[in-house]
Amino acid sequence: MRVFDTVIAFKNFINSDCLNKKLGFVPTMGALHNGHLSLINRAKTENDLVAVSIFINPTQFNNADDLKNYPKTLDADLQMLKAVHCDIVLVPSVAEMYPKGAVSETFSFDGLENLMEGAFRPGHFNGVGTIVKRLLEIVNPANAYFGEKDYQQLLIIKKLVKLLNLNINIVSCPIYREPNGLAMSSRNELLSLPQRQEATIIYKILCDVKSNFKKEPHQQVYEAVDRAFKAHPFFKLEYFVIAEADTLMPVNKIIATKSYRAFIAVFAGNVRLIDNIAL
Ligand code: PAF
């Protein structure tokens, strides 16, 4: 496994040793878990070589404490990557990724950037768009892999690639869950053991929503979610939305030809968790 901490060295390697090779790319912010590894394993089956980036992108954090507390586990990450036979790792510095200072570009993603995560984390998707654009331009892979846990991010990145006219296939990968149903996330490391055990409620509630979505009026489904979290001492619901899967517009009337997903964001103490499910 080759590890590069400068973009220039990474690019030199790609342009000399990886010519005519199909490159798969998994961008990450580190604190790797089995969800990331599932993306890397998929990328390995569909490409000649797999590159992973580890970069905690400051511009996508709208909260300074969230950035400060974000788990940083580079040595363990590199060991995990080596164990799954990742080929190339890029670990660039903030100075190199943001030579003019950590400021985002402004994007318009047809309004997707203003809903849900965008509404509660102002500027978040400009930060994601800025860094993913830069990383895709540096790596220029055939395929780039993103998890459906960040479903809104996935849709936005698909739009970004269209907007920039990049010839890169964005591959969406299913949510990888802990045995109790909690969606795998680097932030899970910040939960206490009881919080992590009890967080099973998030997935259970999403499963209830899935079974009731077509049977009950939407209002009733929304109220049941609200009630379930109000009754739980560990979690505070930030938002719950049932939306059309392509546009993320909140559901009004179910249209048979459309598909829908339920999205949720909750706080466990200071830790913010998101999850979603196809309905
Ligand atoms: O999903 C993530 O880990 C990040 O948002 C990404 C795509 C690596 C950009 O920083």
Side-chain angles (χ1 to χ4, degrees):
M1 182 171 87
R2 300 290 306 264
V3 182
F4 298 97
D5 57 10
T6 69
V7 170
I8 202 89
F10 173 85
K11 276 183 134 176
N12 282 342
F13 180 73
I14 294 280
N15 292 332
S16 57
D17 293 43
C18 307
L19 281 181
N20 304 322
K21 295 261 167 62
K22 190 168 167 193
L23 188 61
F25 177 46
V26 182
T28 80
M29 296 205 298
L32 301 182
H33 49 69
N34 287 340
H36 293 113
L37 299 188
S38 71
L39 268 56
I40 294 164
N41 285 328
R42 168 128 184 226
K44 282 193 76 70
T45 65
E46 296 175 354
N47 301 276
D48 300 324
L49 291 171
V50 174
V52 169
S53 63
I54 299 178
F55 180 70
I56 302 179
N57 173 34
T59 63
Q60 71 187 75
F61 288 83
N62 58 313
N63 173 326
D65 280 341
D66 191 22
L67 174 59
K68 198 175 90 205
N69 296 334
Y70 199 83
K72 295 157 188 90
T73 57
L74 183 60
D75 290 343
D77 292 345
L78 293 176
Q79 275 180 25
M80 282 173 94
L81 291 175
K82 208 167 172 187
V84 293
H85 307 289
C86 173
D87 301 291
I88 314 160
V89 189
L90 172 64
V91 193
S93 65
V94 175
E96 201 176 10
M97 296 307 278
Y98 289 103
K100 295 184 185 147
V103 181
S104 300
E105 280 183 53
T106 305
F107 296 93
S108 167
F109 298 114
D110 297 337
L112 278 183
E113 71 278 17
N114 302 320
L115 304 166
M116 299 191 298
E117 289 302 283
F120 285 93
R121 303 183 67 190
H124 172 65
F125 287 120
N126 280 331
V128 171
T130 302
I131 198 65
V132 173
K133 174 182 171 193
R134 177 114 173 84
L135 287 167
L136 292 180
E137 284 169 352
I138 291 167
V139 180
N140 191 24
N143 296 305
Y145 295 78
F146 294 86
E148 287 179 355
K149 185 182 81 68
D150 298 297
Y151 187 86
Q152 188 175 8
Q153 167 174 283
L154 174 68
L155 290 192
I156 280 181
I157 287 164
K158 285 185 176 166
K159 287 228 183 268
L160 177 78
V161 164
K162 274 207 181 124
L163 211 68
L164 301 173
N165 213 3
L166 299 175
N167 186 20
I168 297 172
N169 179 35
I170 301 300
V171 184
S172 63
C173 302
I175 298 174
Y176 209 80
R177 297 185 179 279
E178 298 194 3
N180 73 353
L182 175 64
M184 288 209 177
S185 162
S186 305
R187 287 190 169 83
N188 294 355
E189 294 307 313
L190 304 172
L191 297 171
S192 67
L193 188 59
Q195 281 172 331
R196 198 159 173 157
Q197 286 164 344
E198 290 290 315
T200 184
I201 183 186
I202 301 169
Y203 184 55
K204 284 205 174 116
I205 287 174
L206 286 177
C207 290
D208 289 346
V209 169
K210 189 177 170 80
S211 53
N212 295 334
F213 173 59
K214 290 194 179 140
K215 290 190 231 147
E216 291 179 0
H218 303 145
Q219 191 56 30
Q220 210 168 304
V221 176
Y222 272 71
E223 281 167 12
V225 172
D226 210 41
R227 259 198 320 275
F229 280 105
K230 282 204 173 111
H232 202 292
F234 284 12
F235 302 101
K236 194 168 160 291
L237 180 63
E238 186 170 54
Y239 67 75
F240 169 73
V241 180
I242 299 177
E244 207 259 298
D246 293 333
T247 60
L248 301 186
M249 291 318 288
V251 63
N252 187 6
K253 185 167 138 299
I254 299 177
I255 298 173
T257 52
K258 294 197 166 175
S259 44
Y260 297 90
R261 285 184 98 94
F263 298 87
I264 203 162
V266 300
F267 277 98
N270 293 328
V271 185
R272 189 170 180 279
L273 302 170
I274 61 171
D275 200 350
N276 68 87
I277 197 167
L279 299 176

